[in-house]
């Protein structure tokens, strides 16, 4: 079958790599793709949110499956749009994508299904005074979240009451996140280690396809501002059988049962953003897609044919499927542009190593190939090196050695990915 993959990050390069290995995949198209994805298919210059153009392309090229990398097309109703032309999409329906698209929706859903998450209240501008009063009753740190999609920037952890009041004012009265902060969730701060768990579901059954720990801060030792993710490791030592059993019983099963009960149609990935609080898992957030850079470690460890999994999912045959994982550990290290996550320059010439050692891969993120064939930077997160090895420590060292060899002016990366597991 011909497959259309949407997106342009390291996640999509890793998915393109995996999809193209399937004997079930004839032609792979990536819209819009990046400087790396064309290794595994054909890049198509269509924006992920231009559904009409995607539909024209899909019908002209006999596309039988659409795999969506990023969240916004899913929140905008990609699944429902293509249901009308009978092209299956890997993802949730628009209604179910609200699990990521609205923090308030997801908190209410978890509350209805009895899923452990931080205590919270939601406020609109009309309830501003109540919000201020609620903040005064909380013990800092206090977590404020813009309700809607805010490109990963809508969460502010406030160390003082004053800061929380200012952020609430900015979000509700000054519209600092536009429509996304029309409603603000104020929630209890949870202290623990985070874990990302990935599931494929057909809305009734599910399979865990991997888990990872993401390093979100720009600086070594987890310092400085948040980024989209500077590196990842998988598997995570504390996510042992006993902890994962709790995750399944307390979180995954009630989530899937909740989707069925509330008739939220879902045929795709669920990313459970969890936090381990003294051995107990809580949900920080749901995402309706794979993570980036989590995909760059989860997908290389997944041994199943991913297209076969997609087909089974759409045929409601997931339950009978066995998932197998590489026993090796994986680590990925992301190289970014100078200045990221603040402002940075694009269009800088890049040179990649001519050969890669065994069990290592380079997944392009913000790169592009110019008409003359030159590879240039094209984003904040530029390229990720993934390595597999017997231990996290060896995998991280191997990935770091590869990213060392990537050359462009202003390259920055963390040298301590996986540090707490060394
Ligand atoms: P999000 O944009 O929802 O991924 O949140 C960004 C980050 O904020 C998360 O990865 C956590 O590190 C942090 N965070 C969100 N909610 C909480 C919470 N209730 N307690 C502690 N940290 C949180
Ligand atoms: N790495 C976190 C995310 O993809 O949202």
């Amino acid at each position: 079958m011909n497959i259309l993959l949407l997106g342009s990050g390291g996640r999509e390069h890793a998915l393109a790599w995996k999809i193209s290995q399937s004997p079930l995949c004839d032609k792979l198209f990536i819209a819009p793709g990046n400087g790396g994805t064309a290794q595994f298919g054909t890049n198509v210059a269509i924006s992920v949110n231009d559904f009409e153009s995607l539909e024209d392309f899909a019908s002209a090229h006999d596309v039988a499956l659409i795999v969506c990398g990023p969240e916004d097309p899913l929140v905008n109703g990609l699944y429902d749009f293509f249901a009308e032309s009978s092209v299956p999409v890997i993802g949730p329906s628009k209604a179910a994508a609200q699990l990521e698209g609205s923090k308030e929706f997801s908190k209410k859903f978890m509350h209805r299904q009895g899923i452990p998450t931080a205590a919270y209240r939601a406020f609109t501008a009309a309830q501003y005074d109540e919000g201020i009063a609620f903040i005064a009753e909380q013990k800092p740190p206090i977590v404020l979240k813009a309700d809607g999609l805010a490109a990963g920037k809508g969460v502010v952890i406030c160390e003082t009451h004053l800061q929380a009041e200012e952020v609430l004012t900015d979000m509700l009265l000054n519209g600092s996140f536009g429509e996304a902060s029309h409603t603000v969730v104020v929630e209890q701060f949870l202290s623990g280690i985070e874990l990302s768990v990935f599931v494929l579901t057909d809305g009734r059954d599910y399979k865990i396809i991997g888990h990872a720990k993401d390093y979100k801060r720009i600086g070594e030792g987890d310092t400085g501002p948040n980024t989209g993710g500077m590196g990842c490791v998988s598997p995570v030592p504390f996510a042992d059988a006993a902890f994962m059993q709790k995750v399944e019983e307390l979180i995954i099963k009630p989530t899937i049962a909740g989707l069925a009960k509330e008739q939220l149609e879902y045929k795709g990935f669920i990313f459970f953003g969890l936090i381990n609080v003294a051995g107990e898992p809580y949900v920080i957030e749901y995402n309706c897609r794979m993570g980036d850079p989590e995909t760059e470690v989860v997908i290389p460890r997944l041994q199943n044919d991913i297209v076969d999994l997609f087909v089974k999912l759409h045929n409601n045959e997931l339950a009978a499927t066995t998932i197998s994982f590489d026993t090796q550990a994986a680590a990925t290290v992301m190289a970014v542009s100078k200045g990221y996550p603040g402002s940075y320059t694009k269009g800088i010439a890049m040179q990649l190593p001519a050969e890669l050692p065994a069990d290592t891969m380079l997944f392009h993120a913000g790169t592009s190939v110019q008409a003359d064939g030159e590879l240039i930077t094209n984003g904040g997160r530029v390229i990720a090196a993934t390595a597999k090895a017997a231990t996290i420590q060896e995998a991280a060292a191997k990935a770091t050695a590869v990213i060392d060899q990537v050359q462009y002016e202003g390259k920055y990366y963390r040298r301590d990915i996986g540090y707490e597991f060394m």
Side-chain angles (χ1 to χ4, degrees), residues 111-290:
H111 198 71
R112 286 194 295 272
Q113 306 306 332
I115 294 166
T117 187
Y120 82 104
R121 276 191 59 189
F123 302 95
T124 59
Q127 299 160 305
Y128 173 75
D129 292 339
E130 281 172 65
I132 292 289
F134 183 71
I135 284 172
E137 293 162 13
Q138 308 306 307
K139 189 165 129 342
I142 305 165
V143 183
L144 269 68
K145 301 185 171 183
D147 179 62
L149 293 184
K153 299 190 177 74
V155 175
V156 186
I157 299 183
C158 303
E159 298 299 335
T160 62
H161 287 111
L162 183 65
Q163 188 195 358
E165 285 170 19
E166 284 170 2
V167 171
L168 188 76
T169 308
D170 265 354
M171 285 187 176
L172 283 184
L173 303 187
N174 306 334
S176 51
F177 290 93
E179 196 42 41
S181 63
H182 179 262
T183 301
V184 174
V185 166
V186 179
E187 73 176 35
Q188 170 201 15
F189 178 82
L190 297 175
S191 180
I193 314 183
E194 285 177 59
L195 177 73
S196 308
V197 176
F198 298 92
V199 155
L200 262 177
T201 185
D202 55 20
R204 293 185 324 193
D205 295 303
Y206 71 90
K207 291 288 163 182
I208 296 179
I209 57 158
H211 71 257
K213 177 162 192 304
D214 182 14
Y215 292 79
K216 286 204 169 82
R217 303 292 199 94
I218 188 77
E220 291 177 1
D222 296 327
T223 53
N226 260 324
T227 69
M230 296 296 293
C232 271
V233 299
S234 175
V236 179
F238 75 76
D240 56 12
F243 185 78
M244 291 306 285
Q245 170 95 29
K246 286 188 190 173
V247 170
E248 284 201 67
E249 295 303 325
L250 300 174
I251 292 170
I252 301 178
K253 286 182 184 169
T255 299
I256 307 297
L259 292 176
K261 240 184 273 172
E262 301 191 10
Q263 296 181 344
L264 294 167
E265 196 170 330
Y266 209 121
K267 302 268 182 218
F269 298 105
I270 307 181
F271 168 165
F272 293 85
L274 306 180
I275 189 160
N276 174 352
V277 181
E280 297 302 319
Y282 286 77
V283 177
I284 291 270
E285 63 173 353
Y286 290 112
N287 294 308
C288 59
R289 52 172 173 87
M290 288 297 288

